[in-house]
Amino acid sequence: RPGGMRRRNGSPDDARGRNISGDGDDDDDDWTMRPKPMADRRFKVPSRGKGGTAGLHPLLALWWVATLTALARWSVLFNVPAPVSINAADQSRFSEERALMHARELAEGIGPRVVATPGIDPAERYVADRARELVEEASAARADDMDVDISIHRPTGSFRLNFLNNDIANAYTNLTNVVVRVAPKSAPSDARSVLLNAHFDTTVGSPGGADCASCVGILLEILRVMTLPGSPPPAAPILFLFNGGEETFMQAAHGFVAHHPWAKTVGAVINVEATGTSGPDVLFRETGGWPAEVYMRTAPRPTATASIRDLVRFANLPVDTDFSVFRDPTLPNGNLPGVDIASMLDGYSYHTDRDFANRIRRGTIQAYGENVQESMFAFARELQLMPVAKRANGTSAMDVVRPGSGTTFFDLYGALGVTLGSRTVAMVTQFAPLVACVIDISRGVSYRKGTVAAAKSWGLAAVLPAALGASRAVVTGRPLVWFGKPLITLAFYLPPSLAAVLMPYVRDRNIGAIDGARGAALVTAFVAAVAGFFSAASGYLFAAWSVCIITTSLVVEAMPTLNQVGWATVPLLFTAPAVFLAAPVSYVTFTLISEKVGIAGSEPWPFGLLISDAVMGLATGLITSLSFCGLAPFMATRVRSTRSMRRARFAMFLIWTVAAVTMTLGCEPYSAFTPKRLAVLHQHDANAATADEAVTFLVGAFDSVPAANALQTLHRASVLRPTTREDFGSMHPVTQLLGEGVVLSSSRAKSPPWGEIYPSLRISVLEEAEEEDEDIVKSETSPSVRIEVEMNSRHPAWSCMRVEGPIVAWSLSEELPTATGAVATQRRWARHAGNGEASQVWKFWVEVRAGDESKLKLDAWSLYPGESEETREISDGLAAYISPIVGTTYRYETCRL
């Protein structure tokens, strides 16, 4: 060759086997005569054969992840204890059958138990009677070593609440709490206690078998077991709170915390909830650090899926419970350490008329009850051993810290709870992989190409399946066709997710296995460190991946003569711990999101059409990346881009496209088992401009499929216009979940809930606020004017009011909720619900500066839950897969001074 130049590593075999390790430089293009530095003289791993390179076969990796995911599915659905019957020989054991007996009586015997409806009264009597029977038996049998008392509490009050990212005031009248206190004989009256909470009310239209009659059954059964003769007394008092107002946005829980005399003794809380009829019971929120650690150590079958905890905490997943009130630091008896637990799967029935106790998976309640029972006793022991701290008001309580301040904890397939020592140990564990990578980089090791590839892999996994899902929904006009069909959901989203994860490693032939592994290790280490900094629950997963990837790459580098068997085993073996940890998280997250998307709400057309499919694609892509991020760099995907290979890829894409179109056209998104949620409201509007708009039906959907699709042809013909968020003002703040709806013409109710006299709204000036009143916001420039607001719904109802204007204070909360709109038209929302005649009149005052009275404007709605002759005209004609939320609403005439 001219100039004596020679080409290094020029043999065809070396060309095929080049660059499986090292820094990724293509040595075949090195024409320089200078010798390579010693640091760059790295071994070459032999090729797998002609046309490819050594690596882990993708199908083998897919089989491995699928196997562990199947194991995770088994542990979630079937690894439950055998239910204990009512007639078991050992009566001191928790019995699922007895707990479900209570649940069936509430759900099937009584039915929907909605605040402000007749069903709430028999539910209250049933819970109070069963609790009173147990208290009387315990008082007779355990008088020598245990004090057992019962309290029937009917609170009235109001408080500020942030629900679904809406800041509102939440008022209530004459709700019901049934509270039982079980204490060892030696405990003083102010001894710190453990609070167990469950609610017996339901949302509109649901029998509430799982949510939350099953929870009430669990607490009643635990109360029976612990008060049996011979059962050991708890180390500290236990409070059983059966509250009758959770579905009205946690009102009864606030009534207990703010107004019950026993509330000041609470030192920790276990909130028992259900958002599905199938297990496992997941610890998805915590505060104070130590309660979660104690729960993970003592519960027989703990589950604490990290991704769910992070979604609830950081992504505002629409899952809210009484725990939000118990942990509220603004309440005198709030700011409590504790755990929030819920059975989460089979969320298809959540808040629908399909939520019956008979649907609950066998063994689920047995596992749930045993977990709560054991952790309850452990909490009591912990409280007894802890030193007492003092609140600002002088009552005894625990010093608590923010959520996520404790150590890292997780479960191993629901069989074992793991805690990583102290918070310091957890932080070191999550930051160590990043430190190791940084040290390696400081020694001159290149991470650039691998890091870019790993970042592209995660980015494409998030974007590609989401884009394809959204495109499919827009092009076909059929969103959510996969809803309720997990296998079809996988068929839609898993192939593009896998392609996205592998694509950066396929396209760039200059990335070797070691290069790719280094980049994947750095990216996962960085995510673990960020998660550690923000106390995110998922950090341990990324730290485990980073450690496993680093270990695997070191082993591969130390074994330059790996054959096919070696490539098939070494990456699988040394990444197995990370895959093992990721599998149950991936399964539970995928299942939960695919179920909850049916109640996640929507947006108006056209964005609402694609949002659910895009979210499912995004979730599936990220879950796939979590499962394969450490395996992808070692896979045998770096092959020559030949014409035949390009044809094969195109054929695979064409097959997937045809399958997706076929399933789209051949599948319906709902069934009797997986229903569609629909709101059907018969609205009477006193502000209507025309007679046609004065009385209408409002039909709204809680998902991406338009509400009109569920109506009969006759009803579609009477559509007046699409709905707006204003139309559903009676359901605020749930209005943001109601996207594509329609307004239908109707006639006035023949027998309206309010009777012959229409509901009324009035305001009147009370007095000028006294400057010495410390509860009133003062102004140096002008006096304040207090204005009384009185709403009379004529019948118990769920009422909602929007107050517009520059108010400076009101009686509903110490601090005003955050306003929306301009200064002159600030809008604040308030809600009210209650039971009995006393709840028909809702009074409160607002305060404005003198001269601003004319700027005050009030809009109000009342929702009367339940069917009527008119709503049955719509609901009776709906398909069997529809679960309607029905009611009659009244919009009051806008009120001004």
Side-chain angles (χ1 to χ4, degrees):
R1 294 176 182 170
M5 297 179 69
R6 61 187 178 87
R7 181 169 180 167
R8 192 179 290 115
N9 297 329
S11 70
D13 289 340
D14 286 343
R16 285 193 299 269
R18 70 182 185 274
N19 200 35
I20 194 62
S21 61
D23 60 2
D25 293 335
D26 194 342
D27 290 339
D28 290 338
D29 293 333
D30 186 2
W31 292 85
T32 179
M33 295 179 63
R34 294 188 300 273
K36 290 180 73 69
M38 290 295 294
D40 290 339
R41 293 182 183 177
R42 299 183 180 130
F43 59 83
K44 304 295 178 182
V45 178
S47 67
R48 288 182 63 242
K50 187 175 181 178
T53 62
L56 172 65
H57 199 285
L59 291 179
L60 184 59
L62 182 61
W63 169 83
W64 177 236
V65 174
T67 299
L68 288 179
T69 304
L71 176 63
R73 180 179 182 275
W74 174 84
S75 71
V76 166
L77 298 180
F78 304 107
N79 185 26
V80 293
V84 176
S85 70
I86 293 178
N87 300 318
D90 187 359
Q91 288 291 298
S92 65
R93 290 190 61 192
F94 179 94
S95 169
E96 174 181 284
E97 186 177 341
R98 188 178 281 104
L100 285 178
M101 178 187 69
H102 297 302
R104 292 188 187 97
E105 185 60 35
L106 288 168
E108 280 92 48
I110 297 174
R113 306 171 299 282
V114 184
V115 170
T117 69
I120 197 70
D121 294 328
E124 172 198 327
R125 288 195 297 270
Y126 178 84
V127 173
D129 289 347
R130 300 294 82 73
R132 191 175 289 109
E133 290 171 2
L134 293 171
V135 168
E136 291 173 355
E137 292 173 4
S139 298
R142 303 295 299 271
D144 57 337
D145 66 340
M146 188 179 288
D147 289 324
V148 186
D149 300 294
I150 186 171
S151 168
I152 308 298
H153 183 226
R154 305 189 187 281
T156 295
S158 60
F159 63 108
R160 181 181 175 183
L161 174 71
N162 188 286
F163 186 81
L164 295 177
N165 294 321
N166 286 268
D167 203 7
I168 64 173
N170 198 11
Y172 52 92
T173 301
N174 196 37
L175 298 184
T176 300
N177 286 323
V178 178
V179 194
V180 176
R181 182 178 186 269
V182 181
K185 202 71 174 178
S186 59
S189 60
D190 61 348
R192 286 174 300 171
S193 55
V194 179
L195 174 66
L196 271 62
N197 174 74
H199 68 92
F200 58 82
D201 69 312
T202 67
T203 192
V204 181
S206 175
D211 180 29
C212 208
S214 66
C215 311
V216 172
I218 288 172
L219 263 59
L220 285 172
E221 177 61 3
I222 292 175
L223 177 60
R224 181 197 69 83
V225 170
M226 73 178 302
T227 55
L228 281 176
S231 299
I238 309 294
L239 298 179
F240 293 83
L241 172 58
F242 305 91
N243 86 69
E246 191 268 354
E247 300 294 357
T248 51
F249 309 130
M250 295 78 74
Q251 292 175 338
H254 178 270
F256 172 80
V257 170
H259 303 296
H260 198 283
W262 290 344
K264 63 182 179 180
T265 68
V266 177
V269 60
I270 300 175
N271 190 56
V272 182
E273 256 290 358
T275 64
T277 59
S278 180
D281 45 286
V282 180
L283 191 166
F284 68 99
R285 287 199 294 181
E286 57 83 26
T287 187
W290 69 265
E293 298 171 22
V294 171
Y295 180 86
M296 297 304 292
R297 289 197 305 264
T298 58
R301 289 176 174 81
T303 301
T305 307
S307 56
I308 305 303
R309 285 148 54 202
D310 285 340
L311 286 171
V312 171
R313 183 179 172 197
F314 296 108
N316 293 315
L317 195 71
V319 177
D320 217 339
T321 69
D322 289 324
F323 191 74
S324 297
V325 170
F326 297 134
R327 72 173 187 174
D328 186 349
T330 66
L331 298 178
N333 295 315
N335 202 26
L336 293 171
V339 293
D340 200 1
I341 311 168
S343 57
M344 287 198 165
L345 300 188
D346 187 21
Y348 302 118
S349 62
Y350 177 58
H351 282 188
T352 73
D353 57 8
R354 307 324 197 253
D355 185 11
F356 289 104
N358 290 335
R359 181 163 171 157
I360 297 173
R361 183 181 292 274
R362 183 176 172 83
T364 298
I365 299 301
Q366 188 69 38
Y368 200 166
E370 291 176 359
N371 284 341
V372 174
Q373 180 174 291
E374 293 302 318
S375 58
M376 172 197 71
F377 283 112
F379 277 33
R381 292 191 295 269
E382 198 76 14
L383 286 179
Q384 186 188 40
L385 296 174
M386 285 183 176
V388 177
K390 294 293 182 180
R391 296 185 189 271
N393 62 5
T395 58
S396 298
M398 287 296 304
D399 281 335
V400 297
V401 288
R402 61 182 177 81
S405 60
T407 188
T408 297
F409 60 91
F410 54 91
D411 69 280
L412 297 178
Y413 291 73
L416 178 67
V418 178
T419 57
L420 298 183
S422 64
R423 179 64 188 155
T424 302
V425 173
M427 291 288 287
V428 169
T429 301
Q430 292 180 208
F431 275 88
L434 181 61
V435 172
C437 291
V438 171
I439 292 175
D440 206 24
I441 293 172
S442 68
R443 293 176 177 174
V445 179
S446 175
Y447 278 68
R448 183 180 61 82
K449 289 185 178 180
T451 301
V452 171
K456 287 181 178 179
S457 179
W458 279 95
L460 285 171
V463 173
L464 181 61
L468 289 175
S471 300
R472 185 205 58 77
V474 171
V475 171
T476 63
R478 290 172 59 83
L480 278 179
V481 294
W482 42 265
F483 180 69
K485 306 170 183 65
L487 292 179
I488 290 180
T489 309
L490 281 175
F492 270 136
Y493 293 110
L494 185 58
S497 298
L498 283 171
V501 170
L502 299 177
M503 193 177 298
Y505 303 99
V506 173
R507 295 182 62 85
D508 193 343
R509 295 177 58 225
N510 288 327
I511 300 176
I514 302 304
D515 280 333
R518 289 191 184 118
L522 179 59
V523 169
T524 51
F526 177 77
V527 175
V530 172
F533 181 80
F534 289 103
S535 301
S538 301
Y540 77 95
L541 288 170
F542 295 94
W545 263 123
S546 186
V547 170
C548 288
I549 296 168
I550 292 172
T551 304
T552 307
S553 62
L554 291 175
V555 172
V556 170
E557 279 192 301
M559 302 174 66
T561 59
L562 274 180
N563 55 20
Q564 275 189 310
V565 176
W567 275 112
T569 56
V570 170
L572 295 184
L573 179 63
F574 287 94
T575 59
V579 181
F580 183 79
L581 291 175
V585 174
S586 298
Y587 172 75
V588 172
T589 306
F590 174 83
T591 304
L592 184 70
I593 292 178
S594 66
E595 294 174 353
K596 296 302 184 191
V597 75
I599 199 175
S602 183
E603 296 291 333
W605 190 91
F607 184 64
L609 187 68
L610 56 89
I611 184 65
S612 294
D613 286 80
V615 168
M616 195 67 239
L618 171 66
T620 306
L622 293 178
I623 291 168
T624 303
S625 194
L626 177 65
S627 301
F628 287 92
C629 63
L631 295 172
F634 299 103
M635 291 187 193
T637 55
R638 292 167 296 283
V639 295
R640 292 183 182 276
S641 184
T642 62
R643 179 178 298 180
S644 61
M645 182 57 66
R646 288 193 294 270
R647 288 177 178 174
R649 292 172 186 167
F650 178 76
M652 292 172 64
F653 174 75
L654 188 61
I655 292 172
W656 176 83
T657 302
V658 171
V661 172
T662 302
M663 288 185 288
T664 298
L665 298 178
C667 293
E668 294 296 334
Y670 309 106
S671 68
F673 190 79
T674 58
K676 176 180 178 63
R677 299 163 176 87
L678 206 67
V680 180
L681 303 180
H682 190 209
Q683 175 137 300
H684 299 68
D685 190 349
N687 287 311
T690 65
D692 289 340
E693 291 278 349
V695 183
T696 57
F697 282 116
L698 307 177
V699 184
F702 287 90
D703 58 34
S704 296
V705 181
N709 292 16
L711 298 176
Q712 290 182 330
T713 304
L714 179 64
H715 291 139
R716 292 180 193 175
S718 63
V719 171
L720 299 176
R721 59 175 175 83
T723 59
T724 65
R725 296 283 167 83
E726 182 87 358
D727 293 320
F728 290 103
S730 62
M731 299 183 70
H732 185 85
V734 181
T735 47
Q736 71 182 63
L737 300 180
L738 290 161
E740 191 69 14
V742 290
V743 179
L744 311 178
S745 60
S746 181
S747 58
R748 294 187 181 276
K750 296 178 182 178
S751 300
W754 51 81
E756 297 181 358
I757 303 176
Y758 281 102
S760 63
L761 174 65
R762 70 173 186 85
I763 56 176
S764 58
V765 177
L766 287 177
E767 59 184 350
E768 290 191 358
E770 297 293 336
E771 288 295 322
E772 61 270 15
D773 190 341
E774 295 181 357
D775 294 331
I776 304 302
V777 178
K778 300 178 177 62
S779 171
E780 297 180 357
T781 58
S782 62
S784 298
V785 176
R786 186 175 293 182
I787 299 170
E788 184 182 66
V789 179
E790 180 179 312
M791 173 191 283
N792 191 335
S793 61
R794 310 293 179 186
H795 189 275
W798 294 17
S799 298
C800 189
M801 186 176 298
R802 183 177 63 206
V803 180
E804 182 177 313
I807 67 174
V808 296
W810 63 9
S811 59
L812 298 175
S813 58
E814 292 185 4
E815 294 184 2
L816 288 171
T818 303
T820 59
V823 175
T825 59
Q826 292 180 354
R827 292 180 171 184
R828 294 177 174 86
W829 290 83
R831 290 189 57 89
H832 175 265
N835 296 317
E837 186 176 346
S839 68
Q840 297 178 20
V841 178
W842 177 26
K843 287 185 179 181
F844 63 95
W845 55 258
V846 299
E847 190 174 309
V848 298
R849 300 300 181 197
D852 286 343
E853 299 93 328
S854 61
K855 300 178 182 178
L856 191 64
K857 174 185 172 184
L858 277 68
D859 289 288
W861 298 257
S862 284
L863 167 62
Y864 304 85
E867 285 192 329
S868 65
E869 182 178 341
E870 289 73 23
T871 59
R872 278 191 287 271
E873 294 177 9
I874 301 293
S875 60
D876 287 351
L878 297 175
Y881 61 79
I882 301 294
S883 175
I885 295 174
V886 297
T888 303
T889 62
Y890 183 83
R891 180 170 184 178
Y892 297 74
E893 184 176 357
T894 299
C895 194
R896 301 174 184 267
L897 275 176

